[in-house]
Amino acid sequence: MVIARHPQTIYSGMLSGLVAGQYLLDDIEIDVRSLAGLVDATLLIDEVVGIDLAGKRVLCRAGPPVAFDLLSLDIGSHASPVDLTASNYTPFVARPADEFLRGFEVLRRRVAARGHQGRVVTVGAGAGGVELLLAIERRLRREAARDGADATGLTFTLVSASNDILPGFPSRFRQHVRALLAQRGIALRSAARVMAASQHGLAIAGQAAVQADDVLWATEATASGWLARTGLLLDEEGFVRVEGTLRSVGRDDVFAAGDTASFDPRPLMKSGVFAVRAGPLLAHNLRASLLGEPLKTFQPQHRALYILSTGDGRAIGTRAGFTVSGRWVWQCKSWIDRRFMARHRGLDSPTLAGGAPGP
Ligand SMILES: Cc1cc2nc3c(=O)[nH]c(=O)nc-3n(C[C@H](O)[C@H](O)[C@H](O)COP(=O)(O)OP(=O)(O)OC[C@H]3O[C@@H](n4cnc5c(N)ncnc54)[C@H](O)[C@@H]3O)c2cc1C
């Protein structure tokens, strides 16, 4: 049985392309129902809110508990804002992707209603936040131009708690993206830790406040809070600690993979590259575990390729310390992403030349 919150799930690699207007929603949605059907799995649409390990039951928000012999947790991660309960203000979040898309539609309407004016601020300068902000900037400016509006009052700011953007990326890559932000008129506030938010903006520790009309929260991945009440062994950030076999440390009936897992053998970035690569090994180990056969060990790659779309039909890529950029990089990314989606739909691979056009 597969339990999922929605019958469709959004492929994050193409999310910024949707925002920039390069893809339609249908291009980036994976149909969980038909995937489950392919392997004769029952799909239960519900949200898991807890696990009763002793009773071997998964607790769901809407329906009754679901009994299990073997459980695999692949529930991803969230972007969690600072505690804003006092301010009665809710920024929109970069993940999960379905929540982001709802927030993005609200943002578009609000900006249009203000005559294409407003101060749009993104908190979090990791790859997801930067990519989304670049796409949002392109899209909102294009919509202002379409409506003949004077968009001089439409401003964009990236707020980062770290001293530089894109922690963990090579310095040439970061330099390239910083130059691009400046070229697009996107202000950068680094070493800026947000302490509170309200409808007027963000209070920053030891610095002047950042004025904002709309805030996208795109800080690092955080774990689902209910995991802390399960009794599973978690790392200090609340993610499920797994052995090399992706089995939860200390349990033989629970596995975890993707963002929700904390890989004990070595730290891994919360990246779709690792989530996707873990899939076949996870499937093998779940089957082997039921049959009492030996489990395999996940060998995550050391040199992953990262490509960041810049929302204008171009992209910047890096692998093994090398950095490349341009339209052709976006076309490569688009081909890789469309091939991934085609595989999940049982379609032929797309051609490289058939990449969706940049705006
Ligand atoms: C804007 C953005 C762009 C990104 N681009 C890239 C990229 O280009 N390349 C890359 O490698 N990585 C990228 N990432 C990171 C990537 O999205 C994640 O690392 C990846 O999605 C993790 O996969 P996952 O399967 O663990 O979780 P997810 O893809 O988040 O899937 C989790 C699934 O579980 C469901 N779910 C969650 N909680 C529950 C629950 N309690 N009960 C039932 N169902 C639940 C969700 O609805 C979802 O369908 C990007 C992230 C962002 C935010």
Side-chain angles (χ1 to χ4, degrees):
M1 173 183 282
V2 176
I3 307 177
R5 286 188 310 180
H6 306 290
Q8 279 87 25
T9 193
I10 289 163
Y11 173 43
S12 62
M14 294 168 88
L15 186 60
S16 69
L18 174 80
V19 170
Q22 292 153 335
Y23 300 119
L24 301 173
L25 183 58
D26 186 52
D27 297 325
I28 74 163
E29 267 187 344
I30 295 172
D31 187 356
V32 184
R33 197 180 291 283
S34 65
L35 280 184
L38 280 179
V39 292
D40 288 332
T42 310
L43 175 64
L44 175 67
I45 300 300
D46 207 329
E47 182 178 353
V48 174
V49 290
I51 304 168
D52 167 13
L53 280 180
K56 284 181 162 286
R57 297 180 319 159
V58 163
L59 312 177
C60 298
R61 185 175 296 285
V66 176
F68 69 85
D69 293 312
L70 201 55
L71 175 66
S72 176
L73 286 170
D74 312 287
I75 53 172
S77 58
H78 308 262
S80 299
V82 284
D83 185 6
L84 302 171
T85 32
S87 65
N88 194 23
Y89 174 76
T90 319
F92 72 110
V93 292
R95 56 178 116 189
D98 50 306
E99 276 185 41
F100 166 77
L101 282 182
R102 272 197 298 277
F104 175 59
E105 287 311 316
V106 173
L107 169 72
R108 285 178 65 203
R109 280 200 298 275
R110 280 165 56 93
V111 170
R114 289 194 298 257
H116 299 278
Q117 307 293 307
R119 297 157 298 187
V120 179
V121 176
T122 294
V123 180
V130 171
E131 196 177 62
L132 286 177
L133 180 58
L134 287 167
I136 289 171
E137 185 263 347
R138 280 292 90 165
R139 179 71 173 266
L140 295 184
R141 287 204 194 285
R142 214 169 53 242
E143 290 183 350
R146 179 201 61 199
D147 293 350
D150 169 14
T152 43
L154 185 58
T155 66
F156 299 87
T157 305
L158 180 62
V159 175
S160 163
S162 49
N163 289 335
D164 199 357
I165 59 169
L166 299 166
F169 281 79
S171 65
R172 226 181 130 239
F173 189 91
R174 284 185 271 132
Q175 215 178 322
H176 197 119
V177 177
R178 269 199 315 271
L180 185 70
L181 292 172
Q183 193 188 320
R184 296 263 195 99
I186 298 176
L188 175 63
R189 283 283 290 273
S190 48
R193 182 159 294 282
V194 177
M195 304 305 287
S198 72
Q199 43 275 68
H200 307 297
L202 305 169
I204 310 284
Q207 288 187 21
V210 173
Q211 307 295 313
D213 296 302
D214 294 281
V215 177
L216 167 63
W217 207 273
T219 49
E220 55 274 276
T222 54
S224 293
W226 56 261
L227 287 171
R229 296 186 293 275
T230 58
L232 290 170
L233 282 186
L234 309 180
D235 70 6
E236 58 281 5
E237 283 159 359
F239 294 104
V240 181
R241 281 179 55 197
V242 296
E243 300 161 355
T245 57
L246 303 179
R247 200 151 61 175
S248 163
V249 173
R251 305 275 325 175
D252 55 13
D253 55 353
V254 179
F255 285 74
D259 279 9
T260 206
S262 171
F263 192 63
D264 249 26
R266 70 179 170 93
L268 298 179
M269 271 172 88
K270 300 293 183 203
S271 157
V273 174
F274 298 123
V276 169
R277 292 283 173 105
L281 182 121
L282 177 67
H284 173 276
N285 281 357
L286 288 171
R287 205 174 295 122
S289 174
L290 286 173
L291 297 172
E293 292 174 358
L295 306 189
K296 288 186 182 168
T297 302
F298 184 41
Q299 308 283 0
Q301 65 208 105
H302 281 272
R303 292 179 163 190
L305 167 70
Y306 290 99
I307 304 182
L308 191 140
S309 294
T310 51
D312 54 356
R314 296 181 176 78
I316 311 173
T318 179
R319 185 170 188 194
F322 290 100
T323 297
V324 288
S325 63
R327 279 193 186 275
W328 69 272
V329 183
W330 189 81
Q331 279 183 333
C332 286
K333 175 172 168 52
S334 175
W335 177 75
I336 293 167
D337 289 337
R338 287 179 298 115
R339 186 183 58 164
F340 176 80
M341 290 301 292
R343 270 204 217 129
H344 287 90
R345 292 172 172 182
L347 301 173
D348 291 335
S349 278
T351 57
L352 189 55

